[in-house]
Each structure stands twice: as C-alpha cells, then as structure tokens.
Amino acid sequence: PEEAYHVAPVPWKARRLLLFAGHMPKPKLSRTRGLIEKQLENCTDSGDVTMALRGTGRLNLSSYLNATRWHKFCLVSQGDTFSTKKLAEVVVLGAMGGCLPLLTREVVRPYRDVLDYQRFTISFGAPFRNIATAQEQLQRLRSFTSTEHRAIRQNLSRVASKFAVPSASKYLLETLCEKVRSHNESRIG
C-alpha cells in the first residue's frame, strides 16, 4: 500500500472535502454510520463529499488509497465494534500525505492518556444529528486552512508509528510495561 503514496501529494486546494468509506455495520451493533450517511446525502449537493459505503460504491484498495490522497478529510466512525481499524489506517495514510482523520465522538482513541488527539485529528462532538448540524460542520471543514492542514500533518507524522504495524505492537507493549512499572512503584513507595 505504501507504494501508492510515492507520488507528489495533492495540493490542499485541489482536494475534495470529505471521504466517507468503508462498510455499513450491522444495525444492532452501530447505527452511527447509517445516520451520518443519511444526513450527508441530504446536505451535500456540491459534489465535495464522496461516500463509498455500500455494494458497488465500495472502493477496492487501490481506489481507496487514491481517494485518501484526493480528499482533505476522511471520516472515521464506529464500526461493528467500538474500535475501528479505520482510525489506524487514516492516521498512517494522513502522515503520508493523505486525508486528515475526522473522528466522530464514539470512536475509541487508543493511547489517549499519552497522545493528544486534538493535535493530529479533527473531532466532531455530536456529528450530523440533523441537516442543519451537518451543514454547519461541513462548513467548518470548508474553512480549514492549508496552514492548519500542515500543522496536523506534521503531528500525524510524529504519531503514525504508534498506529502502524509492527511498531504499534511494540509501542503498546512499552506503554503497558510502563504503566505496570508505575503502578508497582506507587504501591511500594
């Protein structure tokens, strides 16, 4: 997959606004993606939002990687479980010049006690509750400057290894070991 990124990054102003890609989770597990999809369909007539979620609209790997280069933001929402591999994908791809991670409220943020997610992602507190909210939040994204983009991209570069395999596994083990050491020291001291 990394080979797809050995090309010049797409300029910020040439990119479309938002990519929402992936599968639609089972309704009993999560209805968030379906609700977001519905609100985006109702308020995006400008063509700056790409939704690739169902059937023939889903993207193969090559098309997905290319789409992340041609969009400013990639929406990450809860999948079939509270965590989603999409977060790690978008952090790593964003560090390589792809879209910036746009997280919905319920997405689990690993290492949140040691990583400041506000420095390398954009968060929506209560995303797309209704059409007015969706339009307001899309307008917020449209006003994002190339300077803000560069700052987040630099921060993504600093944290990407914590989400990429195999370095993510090493980071997780080091973090857990440090927590155990700290806990044991506090019990002794």
Side-chain angles (χ1 to χ4, degrees):
E2 201 171 317
E3 302 82 48
Y5 276 80
H6 289 294
V7 294
V10 175
W12 183 251
K13 291 185 183 222
R15 296 176 182 221
R16 295 181 75 193
L17 183 65
L18 179 65
L19 174 64
F20 189 23
H23 80 287
M24 290 302 289
K26 298 169 187 75
K28 289 183 180 179
L29 298 174
S30 173
R31 295 195 331 239
T32 304
R33 287 187 188 175
L35 295 171
I36 294 170
E37 178 188 32
K38 189 176 291 187
Q39 294 307 328
L40 286 174
E41 284 174 347
N42 290 329
C43 70
T44 56
D45 53 2
S46 63
D48 59 355
V49 175
T50 301
M51 289 190 288
L53 298 165
R54 301 176 186 271
T56 57
R58 294 218 32 214
L59 303 172
N60 63 35
L61 179 59
S62 176
S63 297
Y64 171 68
L65 292 174
N66 194 44
T68 64
R69 289 182 53 244
W70 281 94
H71 288 81
K72 294 177 179 181
F73 304 97
C74 282
L75 185 62
V76 178
S77 68
Q78 178 183 335
D80 287 334
T81 62
F82 287 108
S83 63
T84 176
K85 67 180 183 178
K86 187 69 69 188
L87 174 59
E89 283 176 10
V90 176
V91 166
V92 172
L93 292 171
M96 296 168 62
C99 52
L100 302 180
L102 176 65
L103 310 183
T104 60
R105 175 184 52 206
E106 78 284 346
V107 171
V108 172
R109 290 154 173 83
Y111 321 121
R112 71 173 182 233
D113 56 335
V114 292
L115 295 178
D116 183 359
Y117 274 79
Q118 292 180 1
R119 296 181 57 83
F120 64 94
T121 65
I122 297 91
S123 296
F124 278 174
F128 307 114
R129 287 175 297 194
N130 55 52
I131 293 172
T133 304
Q135 289 173 333
E136 179 181 303
Q137 293 188 18
L138 289 173
Q139 190 54 45
R140 175 180 159 215
L141 295 178
R142 286 183 186 103
S143 67
F144 216 79
T145 67
S146 58
T147 302
E148 291 170 303
H149 161 255
R150 275 191 301 278
I152 288 181
R153 172 108 38 248
Q154 288 172 346
N155 291 328
L156 280 167
S157 296
R158 291 183 188 108
V159 300
S161 66
K162 290 149 181 64
F163 293 87
V165 174
S167 58
S169 302
K170 181 181 176 201
Y171 181 73
L172 177 60
L173 288 173
E174 288 171 353
T175 302
L176 289 173
C177 287
E178 182 57 37
K179 286 181 179 272
V180 168
R181 266 193 296 276
S182 190
H183 175 72
N184 288 341
E185 288 172 3
S186 70
R187 287 180 47 199
I188 294 170

